[in-house]
Amino acid sequence: MESPEEINGHSEAKDETKVAECAVKEETTECIAKEKSIESAVNETTTESVVEEQTTESADKDEACDLILDSPSVEFTIIHNKDKYTVSMPLLSTIAQLKDKLVDMIGVPSKMQKIMIKGLAKDDQTLESLNVSSSSKIMVVGAKLQDIVAVSVANVEEESGSSKSGSSVKEPLCKKKLHLKVLERGIPDDALVGILNIKDPLPPHPLSGMLNKHGGKVRLTFKLEVDQLWIGTKERTQKVAMNTIRHVVSEPIEGHEEYHIVGFQLGTTEASRYWVYWVPAQYVDSIKEAIFGG
């Protein structure tokens, strides 16, 4: 049995332990409180910084807008599909802002507009940097939204009709008799180099070294400044308004996938397609974008 002194000793030891535990808990609570205080201060500082940055950014934008509005205005002519429009804008306006202004005027979404000022103008360029003056006539290329929808609907209906009437397996274009007789001649000696898995912009010169369905030489010239595709042969040059092209079909040539067969539908039916053979694969997407916008 423990003596009273030993019992008192144990009791005192327990009390000391409790006191120590309380001290630890108080210290821990203080640490947590300090951490939260620091975290709160950091959050407040971060919030203040973000607000300050947003305020500065907003001020910069307001200042830029003020500069644009305060800059001298210029009145110039916009030409789209042979229609002419008079537009007045501050000289410091960008091409992107011009596109936005033209949406309601010409009915072409801004992303599908191409502004031609001595070549294709970039969105971040200003009218002033492009030397736009009162005598300027600016060409805008791009199909109206309703025209694109109409073409898309016609294509869907055409494909739907073909799938109902035809077999389940679609025969490749290069296997059809119409195309086979041209392809059997092989790649033209003057054909441009075809490259797989690459998209290149259209070159500044005509695409040449290709053949039409008669086996004759053909070249394609994309005259963006007048919204036309020129199809040139030895006999003549056919000038086609891009907004009259209903559809463009393309398919790689089996065994020579770096080249495509491309058909430009110039009328309402498939019979109106103008076929071009040995088109370099790297230009196919750019051809479609030049015609329909991208």
Side-chain angles (χ1 to χ4, degrees), residues 50-260:
V50 170
V51 170
E52 201 171 307
E53 286 177 9
Q54 290 176 342
T55 303
T56 303
E57 187 178 335
S58 177
D60 289 343
K61 286 182 179 179
D62 291 341
E63 188 177 343
C65 289
D66 290 340
L67 283 172
I68 291 173
L69 293 173
D70 291 341
S71 68
S73 292
V74 61
E75 192 174 87
F76 50 92
T77 302
I78 289 289
I79 301 174
H80 177 253
N81 289 347
K82 297 181 181 178
D83 295 323
K84 294 183 179 181
Y85 306 86
T86 300
V87 176
S88 179
M89 291 187 75
L91 276 170
L92 290 180
S93 300
T94 63
I95 293 300
Q97 291 169 327
L98 172 59
K99 287 181 178 180
D100 290 339
K101 187 180 182 70
L102 293 177
V103 172
D104 292 333
M105 296 178 68
I106 63 176
V108 179
S110 57
K111 290 184 178 180
M112 301 184 70
Q113 295 177 30
K114 293 184 178 68
I115 307 294
M116 310 303 298
I117 307 176
K118 296 179 181 179
L120 184 63
K122 296 180 180 178
D123 283 353
D124 59 353
Q125 290 181 291
T126 65
L127 300 178
E128 185 178 51
S129 68
L130 292 165
N131 297 319
V132 174
S133 65
S134 57
S135 61
S136 297
K137 294 182 179 179
I138 298 174
M139 185 74 61
V140 182
V141 179
K144 294 184 178 181
L145 193 57
Q146 58 264 38
D147 294 335
I148 296 170
V149 171
V151 171
S152 299
V153 170
N155 293 337
V156 169
E157 289 175 350
E158 181 183 302
E159 289 172 5
S160 176
S162 299
S163 63
K164 288 178 182 177
S165 60
S167 60
S168 58
V169 179
K170 185 181 177 182
E171 183 182 23
L173 291 175
C174 58
K175 297 294 184 182
K176 294 184 178 181
K177 187 177 179 180
L178 170 68
H179 309 300
L180 197 56
K181 64 180 183 180
V182 179
L183 297 176
E184 283 177 342
R185 301 184 183 189
I187 302 174
D189 294 336
D190 59 345
L192 298 174
V193 176
I195 307 172
L196 274 175
N197 304 319
I198 286 180
K199 176 188 171 183
D200 279 343
L202 292 173
H205 53 77
L207 293 177
S208 59
M210 300 169 293
L211 303 176
N212 59 20
K213 68 178 183 179
H214 304 296
K217 298 284 187 181
V218 65
R219 65 186 176 278
L220 301 176
T221 306
F222 293 86
K223 305 291 285 186
L224 298 180
E225 64 274 15
V226 290
D227 199 23
Q228 291 181 348
L229 167 61
W230 290 10
I231 304 173
T233 63
K234 185 178 179 181
E235 293 76 25
R236 70 190 186 106
T237 296
Q238 183 178 356
K239 299 180 180 181
V240 182
M242 289 191 191
N243 61 359
T244 65
I245 299 175
R246 302 293 297 275
H247 190 30
V248 177
V249 295
S250 64
E251 194 174 288
I253 299 171
E254 286 189 7
H256 298 284
E257 283 74 12
E258 68 275 20
Y259 293 99
H260 279 227

Side-chain angles (χ1 to χ4, degrees), residues 38-54:
I38 293 170
E39 186 178 341
S40 177
V42 169
N43 288 337
E44 285 178 10
T45 303
T46 304
T47 303
E48 287 174 3
S49 299
V50 170
V51 170
E52 201 171 307
E53 286 177 9
Q54 290 176 342

